[in-house]
Amino acid sequence: QQQVKQSPQSLIVQKGGISIINCAYENTAFDYFPWYQQFPGKGPALLIAIRPDVSEKKEGRFTISFNKSAKQFSLHIMDSQPGDSATYFCAASMDTDKLIFGTGTRLQVFP
Amino acid sequence: DTAVSQTPKYLVTQMGNDKSIKCEQNLGHDTMYWYKQDSKKFLKIMFSYNNKELIINETVPNRFSPKSPDKAHLNLHINSLELGDSAVYFCASSRWTGENEQFFGPGTRLTVL
């Protein structure tokens, strides 16, 4: 119930392509769904987040799509760049509770 | 002007030793956390403190003891280190419990030999 399942484990995309990472959850009480980006040797940093009252949120080249009925959400990176190469984590939480992280997706963008 | 800092960055030690990792945040946040990231990059919360009070204590062996001398500092002391403790430990902070954006430190890579 507390798990967040993330796929794929790794993703290789050409520069300019679209990167898509998917997450699924079971607990319908989750009400906050962030995506964190982690570069090698660094701590994770918040990239974009969504709450379940909207189905999509866009910030620059990054978009979260949220499907409440399917209990799924995804990160889309448009016009992927080599500088986007990093590990991406989805997460979920309930109000004041802890963040439950997905297992991570290692994205490599080749020029 | 680092927001969340940790020391040391790397820690190599023998099994059975006791070690501490220090964390400081200068963001004025009320809540601080410790996470463990294993070799497969899985991130799991260990503890959270709000204004020096323990809020979350996951099923972590009691060899791990967090200490918060004030709300800007959260240290992690580990007794009797085991091989399985090898991981990267991240400190994080947020404005308050429930303010979900968490700011992470750079991590401490602990290697137990």
Side-chain angles (χ1 to χ4, degrees):
Chain A
Q1 270 266 322
Q2 286 286 73
Q3 275 189 322
V4 178
K5 295 182 180 177
Q6 183 171 346
S7 63
Q9 192 174 355
S10 64
L11 183 59
I12 299 174
V13 172
Q14 277 219 297
K15 180 182 173 181
I18 303 174
S19 304
I20 302 174
I21 305 170
N22 301 300
C23 284
Y25 62 98
E26 287 296 321
N27 191 339
T28 54
F30 286 145
D31 63 358
Y32 176 73
F33 302 89
W35 285 90
Y36 278 79
Q37 180 188 54
Q38 184 180 24
F39 292 105
K42 306 287 186 187
L46 180 67
L47 187 63
I48 186 171
I50 198 168
R51 293 199 182 266
D53 51 344
V54 296
S55 59
E56 187 174 282
K57 183 173 180 180
K58 185 175 180 179
E59 289 183 3
R61 296 183 294 108
F62 301 91
T63 300
I64 300 180
S65 296
F66 185 81
N67 186 330
K68 191 172 180 178
S69 60
K71 292 185 283 186
Q72 294 174 348
F73 58 111
S74 59
L75 175 70
H76 295 235
I77 306 174
M78 312 299 287
D79 187 26
S80 299
Q81 299 295 312
D84 297 330
S85 298
T87 301
Y88 292 81
F89 293 93
C90 63
S93 74
M94 290 178 284
D95 196 23
T96 60
D97 205 358
K98 56 188 178 284
L99 278 174
I100 308 294
F101 282 90
T103 48
T105 296
R106 186 182 175 207
L107 171 65
Q108 295 173 274
V109 182
F110 285 97
Chain B
D1 57 345
T2 306
V4 182
S5 59
Q6 295 178 229
T7 53
K9 176 95 174 144
Y10 300 97
L11 187 51
V12 181
T13 188
Q14 299 285 334
M15 247 184 352
N17 284 350
D18 303 338
K19 289 293 177 185
S20 291
I21 306 171
K22 295 187 176 183
C23 177
E24 177 181 1
Q25 54 94 3
N26 63 5
L27 297 166
H29 288 170
D30 286 342
T31 305
M32 296 184 73
Y33 310 81
W34 277 110
Y35 286 86
K36 179 180 180 180
Q37 186 170 47
D38 62 23
S39 57
K40 295 185 178 178
K41 294 230 174 245
F42 185 58
L43 261 171
K44 191 172 188 325
I45 191 165
M46 301 172 70
F47 303 101
S48 81
Y49 269 73
N50 186 60
N51 265 322
K52 304 195 298 175
E53 182 186 340
L54 182 65
I55 300 297
I56 293 173
N57 184 351
E58 290 293 287
T59 49
V60 176
N62 57 15
R63 298 182 295 102
F64 290 78
S65 52
K67 288 203 170 33
S68 182
D70 56 60
K71 75 173 194 177
H73 295 84
L74 180 62
N75 303 323
L76 183 65
H77 189 76
I78 317 169
N79 288 329
S80 304
L81 278 155
E82 300 177 358
L83 293 176
D85 298 332
S86 295
V88 181
Y89 292 84
F90 286 100
C91 177
S93 72
S94 63
R95 278 192 290 177
W96 54 78
T97 306
E99 171 58 32
N100 301 103
E101 179 173 4
Q102 296 181 18
F103 294 79
F104 284 76
T108 295
R109 181 175 291 279
L110 171 65
T111 304
V112 183
L113 303 174

